[in-house]
Amino acid sequence: MEIRPFEAGDEARKLRVQRELFLVGRQSGRVVAAVMAGYDGHRGSVNYLAVDPQYRRRGYGAMLMRRIEELLAARDSANADVLAFYQRLGYAADDVVALGKRLIPD
Ligand SMILES: CC(C)(COP(=O)(O)OP(=O)(O)OC[C@H]1O[C@@H](n2cnc3c(N)ncnc32)[C@H](O)[C@@H]1OP(=O)(O)O)[C@@H](O)C(=O)NCCC(=O)NCCS
């Protein structure tokens, strides 16, 4: 599978913000996998990851995750968690599963 950055003509998302964090995997020219991520200056998040059902269990999902991890790890990391501050402003934990992985060991 060949991994490329987002190109016009793919699904028209993320055109204006961090489009370099939207990758698609192509097999014989056809999009068979995709991942979309974001970086807020401190944390990276993977919002979408999908592999065409016909192409699953071939390592493509893992390939895309490794590439997106490289792109996220290459970005600057700064700032500390300020949970109490956000709680004070009315933020609370959402009822979603969030999985984390530290890419920069500091
Ligand atoms: C989840 C998904 C992206 C995995 O893609 P994939 O290309 O099939 O995954 P890979 O082949 O790279 O698998 C990587 C490893 O995970 C394992 N794995 C993959 N799917 C698995 C599953 N459903 N259950 C358990 N293990 C699984 C593989 O066996 C492999 O293990 P290994 O490294 O020990 O060999 C794919 O199943 C998918 O698109 N699912 C639907 C969309 C979705 O749920 N996306 C996640 C949104 S958060």
Side-chain angles (χ1 to χ4, degrees):
M1 180 177 71
E2 178 190 1
I3 298 178
R4 292 188 190 168
F6 174 88
E7 292 173 3
D10 293 324
E11 285 299 313
R13 295 178 190 249
K14 234 170 147 42
L15 269 172
R16 288 177 302 220
V17 181
Q18 297 180 335
R19 59 185 287 169
E20 69 279 8
L21 294 180
F22 182 17
L23 304 177
V24 294
R26 293 177 191 272
Q27 185 79 280
S28 307
R30 182 175 161 230
V31 173
V32 298
V35 64
M36 189 185 294
Y39 181 67
D40 63 10
H42 173 56
R43 236 174 244 284
S45 56
V46 177
N47 303 302
Y48 296 101
L49 169 68
V51 175
D52 184 318
Q54 292 183 338
Y55 292 87
R56 287 179 191 169
R57 300 294 185 124
R58 300 184 188 192
Y60 291 174
M63 276 174 67
L64 276 178
M65 284 303 298
R66 275 197 296 272
R67 182 70 189 124
I68 212 77
E69 285 177 4
E70 287 169 6
L71 293 173
L72 289 171
R75 289 168 178 255
D76 285 339
S77 179
N79 215 343
D81 285 341
V82 283
L83 202 51
F85 169 75
Y86 289 116
Q87 283 168 345
R88 184 96 182 104
L89 295 186
Y91 288 83
D94 278 335
D95 186 19
V96 295
V97 176
L99 303 175
K101 179 178 178 182
R102 181 163 283 279
L103 299 178
I104 299 174
D106 60 7

Coordinates of all heavy atoms in Angstrom, one line a residue, residues 27-68:
Q27 N -4.1 1.6 -3.0 CA -3.6 0.3 -3.6 C -4.1 0.3 -5.0 O -5.3 0.5 -5.3 CB -4.3 -0.8 -2.8 CG -3.8 -2.2 -3.2 CD -2.5 -2.6 -2.6 OE1 -1.5 -2.2 -3.0 NE2 -2.6 -3.3 -1.5
S28 N -3.1 0.3 -6.0 CA -3.4 0.3 -7.4 C -4.3 1.6 -7.7 O -5.2 1.5 -8.5 CB -4.1 -0.9 -7.9 OG -3.4 -2.1 -7.5
G29 N -3.9 2.7 -7.1 CA -4.6 4.0 -7.4 C -5.9 4.2 -6.6 O -6.5 5.3 -6.6
R30 N -6.4 3.1 -6.0 CA -7.7 3.2 -5.3 C -7.5 3.5 -3.8 O -6.6 2.9 -3.2 CB -8.4 1.9 -5.5 CG -9.8 1.9 -4.9 CD -10.5 0.6 -5.2 NE -11.6 0.4 -4.3 CZ -11.8 -0.7 -3.6 NH1 -11.1 -1.8 -3.8 NH2 -12.8 -0.7 -2.7
V31 N -8.3 4.4 -3.2 CA -8.1 4.6 -1.8 C -8.7 3.5 -1.0 O -9.9 3.1 -1.2 CB -8.9 5.9 -1.4 CG1 -8.9 6.1 0.1 CG2 -8.3 7.2 -2.1
V32 N -7.9 2.8 -0.2 CA -8.4 1.7 0.6 C -8.2 1.9 2.1 O -8.7 1.1 2.9 CB -7.6 0.4 0.2 CG1 -7.8 0.1 -1.3 CG2 -6.1 0.5 0.5
A33 N -7.6 3.0 2.5 CA -7.5 3.3 3.9 C -7.3 4.8 4.1 O -6.9 5.5 3.2 CB -6.3 2.5 4.5
A34 N -7.7 5.2 5.3 CA -7.6 6.7 5.6 C -7.4 6.9 7.1 O -7.9 6.1 7.9 CB -8.8 7.4 5.0
V35 N -6.7 8.0 7.4 CA -6.6 8.4 8.8 C -6.6 9.9 8.8 O -6.0 10.5 8.0 CB -5.4 7.8 9.5 CG1 -4.1 8.3 8.9 CG2 -5.4 8.1 11.0
M36 N -7.3 10.5 9.8 CA -7.3 11.9 10.0 C -6.9 12.2 11.4 O -7.4 11.6 12.4 CB -8.7 12.4 9.7 CG -8.8 13.9 9.7 SD -10.5 14.4 9.5 CE -11.0 13.8 7.9
A37 N -6.0 13.2 11.6 CA -5.5 13.5 12.9 C -5.5 15.0 13.1 O -5.6 15.8 12.1 CB -4.1 12.9 13.2
G38 N -5.3 15.4 14.4 CA -5.2 16.8 14.7 C -4.2 17.0 15.7 O -3.8 16.1 16.4
Y39 N -3.6 18.2 15.8 CA -2.6 18.6 16.8 C -3.0 20.0 17.3 O -3.1 20.9 16.5 CB -1.2 18.6 16.2 CG -0.1 18.9 17.1 CD1 0.2 18.0 18.2 CD2 0.6 20.1 17.0 CE1 1.2 18.3 19.1 CE2 1.6 20.4 17.9 CZ 1.9 19.5 19.0 OH 2.8 19.8 19.9
D40 N -3.1 20.1 18.6 CA -3.5 21.3 19.2 C -2.4 22.1 19.9 O -2.6 23.1 20.6 CB -4.7 21.1 20.3 CG -4.2 20.2 21.4 OD1 -3.0 20.0 21.6 OD2 -5.0 19.8 22.2
G41 N -1.2 21.7 19.6 CA 0.0 22.4 20.2 C 0.5 21.6 21.4 O 1.6 21.9 21.8
H42 N -0.2 20.7 21.9 CA 0.2 19.9 23.0 C 0.0 18.4 22.7 O 0.8 17.6 22.9 CB -0.5 20.3 24.3 CG -0.3 19.4 25.5 ND1 1.0 19.2 25.9 CD2 -1.1 18.8 26.3 CE1 0.9 18.4 27.0 NE2 -0.4 18.1 27.2
R43 N -1.2 18.1 22.3 CA -1.7 16.8 22.2 C -2.1 16.5 20.7 O -2.7 17.4 20.1 CB -2.9 16.6 23.0 CG -2.8 15.5 24.0 CD -4.1 15.5 24.9 NE -3.7 15.8 26.3 CZ -3.2 14.9 27.1 NH1 -2.9 13.7 26.7 NH2 -2.9 15.3 28.3
G44 N -1.8 15.3 20.3 CA -2.3 14.9 19.0 C -3.4 14.0 19.2 O -3.5 13.3 20.2
S45 N -4.4 14.0 18.3 CA -5.5 13.1 18.4 C -5.8 12.5 17.0 O -5.7 13.2 16.0 CB -6.7 13.8 18.9 OG -7.0 14.9 18.1
V46 N -6.1 11.2 17.0 CA -6.5 10.6 15.8 C -8.0 10.5 15.8 O -8.6 9.9 16.7 CB -5.9 9.1 15.7 CG1 -6.4 8.4 14.5 CG2 -4.4 9.3 15.7
N47 N -8.6 11.1 14.8 CA -10.1 11.2 14.8 C -10.7 10.1 14.0 O -11.8 9.6 14.3 CB -10.5 12.6 14.2 CG -9.9 13.7 15.0 OD1 -10.1 13.8 16.2 ND2 -9.1 14.5 14.4
Y48 N -10.1 9.8 12.9 CA -10.7 8.7 12.1 C -9.6 7.8 11.6 O -8.5 8.3 11.2 CB -11.4 9.4 10.8 CG -12.5 10.2 11.1 CD1 -12.4 11.6 11.1 CD2 -13.8 9.7 11.4 CE1 -13.5 12.4 11.4 CE2 -14.8 10.5 11.7 CZ -14.7 11.9 11.7 OH -15.7 12.7 12.0
L49 N -9.9 6.6 11.6 CA -9.0 5.6 11.0 C -9.9 4.5 10.4 O -10.7 4.0 11.1 CB -8.0 5.0 12.1 CG -7.3 3.7 11.6 CD1 -6.2 4.1 10.5 CD2 -6.6 3.0 12.8
A50 N -9.7 4.2 9.2 CA -10.5 3.2 8.6 C -9.8 2.5 7.4 O -9.0 3.2 6.7 CB -11.8 3.8 8.1
V51 N -9.9 1.2 7.4 CA -9.4 0.4 6.3 C -10.6 -0.3 5.6 O -11.5 -0.8 6.3 CB -8.4 -0.6 6.8 CG1 -7.9 -1.5 5.7 CG2 -7.2 0.1 7.4
D52 N -10.6 -0.2 4.3 CA -11.6 -0.9 3.5 C -11.7 -2.4 4.0 O -10.7 -3.0 4.1 CB -11.2 -0.9 2.0 CG -12.3 -1.5 1.1 OD1 -12.8 -2.5 1.4 OD2 -12.5 -0.9 0.0
P53 N -12.9 -2.8 4.3 CA -13.1 -4.2 4.8 C -12.3 -5.3 4.0 O -11.8 -6.2 4.5 CB -14.6 -4.4 4.8 CG -15.2 -3.1 4.9 CD -14.2 -2.1 4.2
Q54 N -12.3 -5.1 2.7 CA -11.6 -6.1 1.8 C -10.1 -6.1 2.0 O -9.4 -7.0 1.6 CB -11.9 -5.8 0.4 CG -13.3 -6.0 0.0 CD -13.6 -5.8 -1.5 OE1 -12.8 -5.1 -2.1 NE2 -14.6 -6.4 -2.0
Y55 N -9.6 -5.0 2.7 CA -8.1 -4.9 2.8 C -7.6 -4.9 4.2 O -6.5 -4.5 4.5 CB -7.7 -3.5 2.1 CG -7.8 -3.6 0.6 CD1 -9.0 -3.2 0.0 CD2 -6.8 -4.0 -0.2 CE1 -9.2 -3.2 -1.3 CE2 -6.9 -4.0 -1.5 CZ -8.1 -3.7 -2.1 OH -8.2 -3.7 -3.5
R56 N -8.5 -5.3 5.1 CA -8.1 -5.4 6.5 C -7.2 -6.6 6.8 O -7.1 -7.5 6.1 CB -9.4 -5.4 7.4 CG -10.1 -4.1 7.4 CD -11.3 -4.1 8.3 NE -12.1 -2.8 8.0 CZ -13.3 -2.6 8.4 NH1 -14.0 -3.5 9.1 NH2 -13.9 -1.4 8.1
R57 N -6.6 -6.5 8.0 CA -5.7 -7.6 8.5 C -4.5 -7.8 7.5 O -4.0 -8.9 7.4 CB -6.5 -8.9 8.7 CG -7.6 -8.8 9.7 CD -7.1 -8.6 11.1 NE -8.1 -8.6 12.1 CZ -8.1 -9.4 13.1 NH1 -7.1 -10.2 13.3 NH2 -9.1 -9.3 14.0
R58 N -4.1 -6.7 6.9 CA -2.9 -6.8 6.1 C -1.8 -5.8 6.6 O -0.8 -5.6 5.9 CB -3.2 -6.4 4.6 CG -4.2 -7.2 3.9 CD -4.3 -6.8 2.5 NE -5.4 -7.4 1.8 CZ -5.6 -7.4 0.5 NH1 -4.7 -6.7 -0.3 NH2 -6.6 -8.0 0.0
G59 N -2.1 -5.2 7.8 CA -1.1 -4.3 8.3 C -1.3 -2.9 7.9 O -0.5 -2.0 8.3
Y60 N -2.3 -2.6 7.1 CA -2.5 -1.2 6.6 C -2.9 -0.3 7.7 O -2.4 0.9 7.7 CB -3.5 -1.2 5.5 CG -3.1 -1.9 4.2 CD1 -4.0 -2.1 3.1 CD2 -1.8 -2.4 4.0 CE1 -3.6 -2.7 2.0 CE2 -1.4 -3.0 2.9 CZ -2.3 -3.1 1.8 OH -1.9 -3.8 0.7
G61 N -3.8 -0.7 8.6 CA -4.2 0.2 9.7 C -2.9 0.6 10.5 O -2.7 1.7 10.9
A62 N -2.1 -0.4 10.8 CA -0.9 -0.2 11.6 C 0.1 0.7 10.8 O 0.7 1.6 11.4 CB -0.2 -1.5 11.9
M63 N 0.2 0.5 9.5 CA 1.1 1.4 8.7 C 0.6 2.9 8.8 O 1.5 3.8 9.0 CB 1.0 1.0 7.2 CG 1.9 -0.2 6.8 SD 1.6 -0.7 5.1 CE 2.2 0.8 4.2
L64 N -0.7 3.1 8.7 CA -1.2 4.5 8.7 C -0.9 5.1 10.1 O -0.6 6.2 10.2 CB -2.7 4.5 8.4 CG -3.0 4.5 6.9 CD1 -4.5 4.5 6.8 CD2 -2.4 5.8 6.2
M65 N -1.2 4.3 11.2 CA -1.0 4.8 12.5 C 0.5 5.1 12.8 O 0.8 6.1 13.4 CB -1.5 3.8 13.5 CG -3.0 3.7 13.7 SD -3.7 5.3 14.1 CE -3.0 5.6 15.7
R66 N 1.4 4.3 12.3 CA 2.8 4.6 12.4 C 3.2 5.9 11.7 O 3.9 6.7 12.3 CB 3.7 3.4 11.9 CG 3.9 2.3 12.9 CD 5.0 1.4 12.4 NE 4.8 0.7 11.2 CZ 4.1 -0.5 11.1 NH1 3.7 -1.1 12.2 NH2 3.9 -1.0 9.9
R67 N 2.7 6.1 10.5 CA 3.0 7.3 9.8 C 2.4 8.5 10.5 O 3.1 9.6 10.6 CB 2.5 7.2 8.4 CG 2.8 8.4 7.5 CD 4.3 8.5 7.2 NE 4.6 9.7 6.5 CZ 5.5 10.6 7.0 NH1 6.3 10.3 8.0 NH2 5.8 11.7 6.4
I68 N 1.2 8.4 11.0 CA 0.6 9.6 11.6 C 1.3 9.9 13.0 O 1.5 11.0 13.4 CB -0.9 9.4 11.8 CG1 -1.7 10.7 11.7 CG2 -1.3 8.7 13.1 CD1 -1.9 11.2 10.4

